[in-house]
Each structure stands twice: as structure tokens, then as C-alpha cells.
Amino acid sequence: MASAPYRTQRVMSIQSHVVSGYVGNKAATFPLQLLGFDVDVVNSVHFSNHTGYPDGFEGDVLGGEQLRKILEGLNRNGLLQGIDHLLTGYIGSESFLRAVLEVLKTLRSSNEGCRYVCDPVLGDNGKFYCPPELVDIYREEVIPLANVVTPNQFEVEQLTGVKVRNISDARRACDALHNLGPDLVFITSIIFDRETVVSVNGDTAMTILASSRRKGNDGGDEIWRIDSPVINGTYTGTGDLCSALLLAWTAKESEGLASAMEKVCGSMWTIIKETEAQVLDSVASQELRLIQSKGIIEDPPILYKARRI
């Protein structure tokens, strides 16, 4: 008896877009496609380059009503059937964020199991990238509908009100996010206070946490930790890349959170290290070496092992 044909999983990715460089959908789409996913791309903004360039940027921002029109066209043509995952990143306005919730509702009306991976892009290093008013919308309306949430340290502190100084604080923050709804909380980067700072081979380390809570209190809760050396420099788009890789590897290894985490972290560290080696005296030279890292994305090195805590 012939086996059923393999169906490629589909992702709808709603994030920013830049003509030059690798942030938002430019950082997420290529890795997802390499790992075997079809990607339907919606660009929340269309900019010449990311906003960290010294001479600014040009471009347009998609509004909530425009997103609804795109959704209507896709739906009318039957193109929203069978989307398995929704991935969202940078969103710059309340109207657009609420329109994203309408997208999710529509996707789940035809596929109740559509998994929502939410990267709540609010800011980093104490600075907001978006209107602070979005914090409450994420906390009260968006995250309760998400299956997976991937904040950085600044974002998790904004969303939970927990100042993350040590591992106990981080666990409390994970619990607070789980209590809002998501089964999986993945904190992409934590630098603990000086008193509890972690080192790897003598270098200051960044900690990544993955916390899984199973519905029904069946004892299946788990939390894993990876510590990896901090790489010097500033690299835009790393969070977008990380969320895409996490979506892919947790979908492909649904029962192996530690393994998926190791692959995500190994890919991320190696890609950033490859980028660091090419950095010159320009912002453009700090763009992620994504295309050059094709082999790393497809076959991630396991550099740092996950530890269950």
C-alpha cells in the first residue's frame, strides 16, 4: 500500500522587510525555506534598510486596514487553507497588531491546530523600538493566543514586570508568561547581574532559556538552559532569525525540546561568529551572513549542550 504523499508545512510570516540587509522577513524566510517550509510573506513595513543606519531609511508602513485587505484577497481565493504556523515579528502600531489577531482567528477557523509563534518585538537594551502602548496589547490580547513566545530580556521584563537579575527571576518570568497562555517560552538572551554572571571558558556568557508547560498538569513541564559566550558587536535581525529557527526545529522535533534548542543556539552562535569575522567600519558589514551560512542552517553544529534545571 502506497504511503500518503508528504505535505510541506506552511508558515505565514508577518514581519518587517528591508530591501538591503537581513532583518524581519529577510532574516526569517530563507532559513524556513531551507528547512523545508513553504512561507507566505506579509511585510509589516517596507524599508530601504534597517533603522540603525546613520543616514536613516526610507519606506512605507503597512496599516491595519491594508492587512485586512490582503487577508480578504487571500481568503477569497482559498489561499489560507492549511497554513500550519503563524509567525509574527516587528509590528509598529496598535491597529496592525489587532489586525494580526484577525489573521490568526481566520487561520484557526480552517485549521484549529495552527500554531502561533509570537516574537513580541518591543525593544532591547532598555530602549523601545515601538510605541510602549503595545505592551498591554501583547500581554492582554496577543500572548494569550500564542503557543510559543520568544522575548529577549528587555521584552520579558516589560511583559511580566519581573526584573531578571538571576536564574530564579528568569524562572518566575517564564511562569508569568506561561500563565498568560503559551505552552513554550523561549527567552532568547539574558545577561545576569554582575553578582550572578555566568562565564563559558572564562568569557562572559549569555543565557538562553526554554520553558515548556504541558496542559493538564500531567507532570510534563520542563525548563532547559544553554550558556554560550557573548560575541562582541551589534547584529540586527538576530531575534528574527532565532524565532524562525525555533519554529522550524520545534516543529520538526516536537518531542525533543533540548535537541531543538541546541540546534537553534548552535546555528545562531555560528552565524553571528561568521558575521563578526567580516565586520569592517560600517553598519552594512554587520548584516548577518545568512546566505553564506546555508550549510550551518541545514546542518547545525551542536556547540553548547542544554541542561535541564
Side-chain angles (χ1 to χ4, degrees), residues 18 41 81 85 178 219 244:
V18 290
V41 175
Q81 305 296 317
H85 311 270
H178 280 308

Side-chain angles (χ1 to χ4, degrees), residues 222 224 226 253 255-263 306-307:
E222 53 184 316
W224 295 86
I226 287 180
E253 301 191 8
E255 297 303 318
L257 178 56
S259 175
M261 186 183 186
E262 288 167 356
K263 289 178 178 178
R307 294 183 289 127

Side-chain angles (χ1 to χ4, degrees), residues 258-277:
S259 175
M261 186 183 186
E262 288 167 356
K263 289 178 178 178
V264 171
C265 292
S267 297
M268 290 296 303
W269 197 89
T270 308
I271 291 169
I272 297 170
K273 196 66 177 175
E274 291 283 334
T275 303
E276 181 198 36

Side-chain angles (χ1 to χ4, degrees), residues 210-228:
S211 176
S212 174
R213 176 181 290 182
R214 305 289 176 86
K215 293 289 193 283
N217 295 319
D218 61 358
D221 296 358
E222 53 184 316
I223 182 165
W224 295 86
R225 168 181 182 167
I226 287 180
D227 300 312
S228 65

Side-chain angles (χ1 to χ4, degrees), residues 290-309:
L290 207 57
I291 305 304
Q292 298 84 352
S293 301
K294 174 179 178 292
I296 294 166
I297 295 166
E298 293 175 305
D299 186 18
I302 306 302
L303 302 177
Y304 306 102
K305 298 294 289 184
R307 294 183 289 127
R308 191 165 185 172
I309 59 173

